[in-house]
Amino acid sequence: TVRWPSGLRRQTKVLAVQSGPKGRGFESHSHHCPFVPSSLTPSRIVMSIPYSAGLPIEVYESIIDAVYDDRTSYKTFSSSRKDLRNCCLVCRAWRPRSQMRLFYAIELPDASALYALVDLLDAMPSLSAYVRILHLIGRSHHDPRSVVALFPTLLMPKLPRLYSLSIIRLVEQNDKGTAKIKIAAGTRTFPYLPIHPRFPSLFAPYSGSVRQLYLNSVSFPSYDDFVGVLFAFRNLVDLRCSTVQWSVLGHIPRYLTRKESGRAFLPCLQILKLLGLGSQGTKRLLSALGPSLLYLDVDEPHLDCPTNVRAIEGADGLDLSSFTNLRILTLWILPTFREHSTFTDFAATTLSLASLAGPRTLRFRPRQPSAFTRAEYIDLLGDIGRMTEEILGAAGYGSSRAATGVTRHIRVVVMIPDSAEWRGWWTVHATASFPNLHR
């Protein structure tokens, strides 16, 4: 029996000690218990649960889950990981849940961090099952020791439950709005990822569990390499590419034709976002996709990087006829809309959406909100609204819709990333840009 001071006796519900041979009592543990002061904890005590709380371990696990969950923004990513590391050190009962949340999402900025993680997983293989999200975010993706080039062979085989993969190259924007890379003195870098032609095949054996792929501000040696990486992730549901470039466009890759590749290209894809891929890169990808697509985001106009000019070949809008289940089409409006976009191109994309039976949603959103003033964007919305109403009217919407005999409906939504105090002002002016559609 252990005697406690009278002040602590009321707070203690059960006190377990090992008073006999091993197996007749509770095992003794040397780790610190958060419920009992360390100065008062005998060496043979297992744990003391506060009588006032009496909470099961599931309650504490819920608290640990709240430290970092799927809704945590990237800005709080580092701070939440610090809190989770502290939770791992509280006691043995907290460690499994804390480790599960701590390793749920991992960020690797460079090769050194990659090697450290590989060594850790070799020492503790049980942690590999916790990793569901992997962020490759750094400035050295185009360096010879790029983490992107190394992780398929070093890390992918150790992550059997990987669900989401992000490859993001950190860049800065100069005064003209183009990318400006910070390179340390004496550092060698390439204009694209240092990968070999068989790089996409390295993903194939281990990519079955990946459902989300995000690519941002990275360049590939060729368009074939870019499409080959996408083809390796055969079960992708969510694909988002922003400012992805390539040095050589070349012919249409064999991955995009089922006859040459042997299987369909991304047959499970439901969410697709293509920004800054250019007209030809965007159209080639869309031509290989099927009816599984539900949500599509593209920029308007489709400017071919890095020259920021429209491709002359095939400037006839996007063909959406194969996306029979498409629900929402979002057009990200660039500041150069008036300079490069043509009525014919915009009309072809809108008419292709209008030709689909069933209800659809057409959304407009500014690609670079800081490049517009409020008055400038409202003025641009006036032109877009006038063209949209003219196109939909020609397609049988409005007064003549009932005579077509086809059930079709398009809902036009204007998305404005502005503060809540301007909501009323935007509502009045945005609805005025679509007078016939807003009834």
Side-chain angles (χ1 to χ4, degrees), residues 118-338:
V118 170
D119 293 340
L120 177 62
L121 295 181
D122 288 338
M124 303 180 65
S126 60
L127 298 179
S128 61
Y130 296 152
V131 182
R132 304 302 308 278
I133 300 175
L134 179 62
H135 300 292
L136 305 181
I137 304 177
R139 303 180 184 274
S140 58
H141 288 354
H142 290 185
D143 295 353
R145 296 181 70 252
S146 171
V147 64
V148 179
L150 296 173
F151 92 97
T153 53
L154 296 179
L155 189 58
M156 283 291 288
K158 303 179 184 296
L159 305 180
R161 301 184 66 232
L162 184 64
Y163 181 86
S164 176
L165 173 63
S166 301
I167 302 178
I168 301 175
R169 187 187 184 202
L170 298 179
V171 298
E172 293 184 357
Q173 301 292 327
N174 57 21
D175 297 336
K176 298 181 180 181
T178 57
K180 179 180 65 175
I181 311 298
K182 277 190 174 182
I183 303 175
T187 302
R188 182 185 178 188
T189 186
F190 298 107
Y192 43 74
L193 295 172
I195 58 178
H196 52 83
R198 297 188 60 83
F199 177 77
S201 63
L202 300 177
F203 292 97
Y206 317 107
S207 58
S209 64
V210 178
R211 299 294 187 272
Q212 297 177 345
L213 178 62
Y214 303 152
L215 303 176
N216 195 324
S217 302
V218 294
S219 298
F220 290 82
S222 67
Y223 186 75
D224 188 86
D225 294 321
F226 164 62
V227 176
V229 170
L230 303 184
F231 184 79
F233 296 94
R234 57 189 180 276
N235 295 326
L236 274 185
V237 175
D238 187 353
L239 172 61
R240 308 186 189 192
C241 303
S242 179
T243 321
V244 177
Q245 304 178 17
W246 42 84
S247 296
V248 179
L249 179 64
H251 299 287
I252 297 179
R254 61 181 178 86
Y255 304 104
L256 298 180
T257 57
R258 186 167 187 170
K259 183 178 180 180
E260 297 186 28
S261 63
R263 63 178 174 87
F265 180 74
L266 303 182
C268 304
L269 192 65
Q270 298 181 8
I271 303 173
L272 178 61
K273 184 176 182 180
L274 302 176
L275 302 180
L277 267 69
S279 175
Q280 298 182 45
T282 300
K283 291 178 180 179
R284 288 186 177 186
L285 275 182
L286 294 180
S287 65
L289 299 175
S292 63
L293 193 64
L294 302 179
Y295 307 95
L296 174 62
D297 289 42
V298 293
D299 47 8
E300 178 63 39
H302 319 295
L303 301 179
D304 286 326
C305 299
T307 56
N308 242 24
V309 297
R310 172 176 295 281
I312 298 177
E313 178 184 357
D316 54 355
L318 302 178
D319 182 11
L320 309 178
S321 58
S322 60
F323 309 136
T324 55
N325 296 315
L326 185 65
R327 299 177 183 175
I328 299 178
L329 171 64
T330 303
L331 297 180
W332 294 68
I333 306 301
L334 288 167
T336 56
F337 181 86
R338 285 196 177 100

Side-chain angles (χ1 to χ4, degrees), residues 382-393:
D383 295 342
I384 294 175
R386 184 173 58 257
M387 289 190 294
T388 303
E389 291 185 342
E390 182 178 345
I391 295 167
L392 295 181

Side-chain angles (χ1 to χ4, degrees), residues 305-383:
C305 299
T307 56
N308 242 24
V309 297
R310 172 176 295 281
I312 298 177
E313 178 184 357
D316 54 355
L318 302 178
D319 182 11
L320 309 178
S321 58
S322 60
F323 309 136
T324 55
N325 296 315
L326 185 65
R327 299 177 183 175
I328 299 178
L329 171 64
T330 303
L331 297 180
W332 294 68
I333 306 301
L334 288 167
T336 56
F337 181 86
R338 285 196 177 100
E339 302 174 18
H340 298 287
S341 184
T342 63
F343 178 80
T344 304
D345 187 20
F346 179 76
T349 302
T350 308
L351 282 173
S352 183
L353 178 68
S355 65
L356 302 175
R360 315 287 169 180
T361 299
L362 175 61
R363 301 194 302 190
F364 298 99
R365 182 170 184 170
R367 172 79 189 277
Q368 301 172 0
S370 59
F372 296 99
T373 64
R374 294 183 177 91
E376 290 174 347
Y377 192 65
I378 284 296
D379 185 47
L380 180 58
L381 275 180
D383 295 342

Side-chain angles (χ1 to χ4, degrees), residues 79-95:
S79 61
S80 63
R81 288 180 62 83
K82 181 180 179 181
D83 295 335
L84 287 172
R85 285 194 293 267
N86 292 333
C87 291
C88 290
L89 302 176
V90 170
C91 68
R92 186 174 300 182
W94 282 36
R95 188 176 63 185

Side-chain angles (χ1 to χ4, degrees), residues 402-417:
T404 62
V406 180
T407 303
R408 293 180 297 176
H409 174 71
I410 288 186
R411 177 171 175 257
V412 177
V413 177
V414 178
M415 304 180 67
I416 306 296

